Amino acid sequence: MDLVWPAAAWALWVAALATAFKVSRRGGLEPPAADEPTPAPVADLLRGTRAQEVFHTTLFELAGRGWVTVEGDRLSLGAPLEEPPPAYERWALDRVRARVGDADEAAVIDLMPEADELDRVFVPLVRRHAIDLGLARRRWPSLLVPVLLAAGLAVPWYVTVVASGVSWPGIIATAVSFVAGIGLLMGGRGFVLTERGRRVAAAGPAVTGQEWIFTGSGWHSGEIEPARPLPRRQEVTGHVVKRWTDTDRYFIALHDGSSRRATAFEVEQGLYQDVLPGDSVRVLVRPRSTTVVRVLVHDRHW
């Protein structure tokens, strides 16, 4: 079985893909940056935070401006204000109104839309606002490039199938073509951070002052403080109330359910990506460095 031509066809397609991405990174002129500060939900999205967390951040930002009221673990709608919110906030408000219905209030944790709805509608709206603020741009000016790259997969796929027939190279070529094609079409024009957007993402959220924290019995306003050195390895149980990054370090804040303050611990990147605010965890903490070395229990709150 001669796979020289299939290998050459795949090499040419990969080279075309690499060239397209290399050219897109140049980006031309940076879009003008808006003067207004970066909203917390947009900053969370730039840092790669999950859609559920971005949605909760949006709710609490709306609460800070009076659109909704959060008391304990309950949310109620406020009086409409004259200033129209951005499109992603309007979408969140519409979903909250639909779920609250005729009731006076609802539990904050019950207001979360389905994950596919967040990814399909909410996240693109937040991305659009990031682009409007000059924090990001489209990778390509139109869909032509990803469509051509996806269509170009037909050449190496066809050459491989003709050369190998129904065998493992043909099966692998079919699977790779399908996944890569769908990924290019679903990604569309792409989403790339500008220089200012990268600075916002690298800065991480503020960890001082008052924060909305989930205590296990409701959402309350509290503070986050660094963990104190421990005399030995110790298990710590609590609810995750916040996540943030500082350069190449990752942190989570845990609340024990009764204190007025939450405690910040350094964690590995894998744990940081696996937990969300509201999750209940029991972790093993290394003494002196107060770094989490192992997750013993992890319960998803929603």
Side-chain angles (χ1 to χ4, degrees):
M1 180 173 56
D2 189 0
L3 293 180
V4 174
W5 286 109
W10 280 107
L12 287 174
W13 184 84
V14 171
L17 179 68
T19 301
F21 272 85
K22 184 176 181 180
V23 172
S24 73
R25 282 197 294 269
R26 295 176 184 173
L29 296 175
E30 289 279 299
D35 294 332
E36 57 185 290
T38 303
V42 174
D44 279 350
L45 183 75
L46 299 182
R47 284 187 285 269
T49 304
R50 294 181 181 181
Q52 293 92 333
E53 191 172 340
V54 177
F55 183 82
H56 266 163
T57 304
T58 301
L59 292 187
F60 293 123
E61 187 161 271
L62 287 169
R65 302 210 311 275
W67 283 94
V68 299
T69 300
V70 178
E71 294 182 355
D73 63 346
R74 313 293 293 181
L75 179 145
S76 58
L77 294 170
L81 305 179
E82 293 183 0
E83 177 191 1
Y88 72 92
E89 289 188 346
R90 292 199 301 272
W91 186 90
L93 279 171
D94 289 342
R95 293 307 176 277
V96 168
R97 291 191 183 103
R99 289 183 176 245
V100 172
D102 296 331
D104 294 331
E105 60 182 15
V108 174
I109 60 175
D110 293 337
L111 300 174
M112 180 66 64
E114 297 296 330
D116 62 338
E117 190 179 15
L118 289 173
D119 293 334
R120 179 171 45 85
V121 185
F122 176 68
V123 170
L125 291 175
V126 184
R127 286 176 177 168
R128 178 71 259 175
H129 196 68
I131 292 173
D132 292 340
L133 293 176
L135 300 171
R137 62 175 176 83
R138 293 298 185 187
R139 182 181 295 278
W140 294 296
S142 73
L143 285 171
L144 181 62
V145 174
V147 168
L148 289 176
L149 288 171
L153 284 165
V155 175
W157 171 81
Y158 178 77
V159 174
T160 304
V161 170
V162 169
S164 64
V166 184
S167 62
W168 65 265
I171 295 173
I172 293 177
T174 300
V176 170
S177 299
F178 179 79
V179 173
I182 292 297
L184 285 167
L185 295 177
M186 292 292 290
R189 296 164 59 192
F191 180 77
V192 182
L193 302 189
T194 62
E195 181 60 33
R196 179 168 174 256
R198 287 190 289 271
R199 290 198 299 269
V200 170
V207 296
T208 58
Q210 296 297 108
E211 302 283 349
W212 283 106
I213 60 177
F214 185 81
T215 64
S217 59
W219 293 88
H220 301 280
S221 180
E223 296 180 355
I224 297 176
E225 62 182 5
R228 298 177 181 178
L230 303 172
R232 62 184 183 280
R233 285 196 176 192
Q234 185 173 326
E235 294 182 9
V236 177
T237 301
H239 287 85
V240 179
V241 298
K242 196 176 184 68
R243 309 183 312 162
W244 69 95
T245 61
D246 184 0
T247 60
D248 293 330
R249 302 168 67 188
Y250 301 86
F251 298 87
I252 62 173
L254 300 182
H255 192 271
D256 60 11
S258 59
S259 303
R260 292 301 302 171
R261 291 179 174 85
T263 305
F265 297 93
E266 185 175 356
V267 299
E268 296 294 330
Q269 182 179 4
L271 171 60
Y272 173 84
Q273 295 175 338
D274 191 45
V275 299
L276 289 172
D279 290 358
S280 177
V281 297
R282 179 156 55 91
V283 298
L284 185 63
V285 180
R286 180 184 296 132
R288 292 183 296 280
S289 67
T290 64
T291 301
V292 173
V293 296
R294 186 182 306 166
V295 180
L296 305 175
V297 177
H298 180 198
D299 293 325
R300 171 92 338 130
H301 185 65
W302 55 70

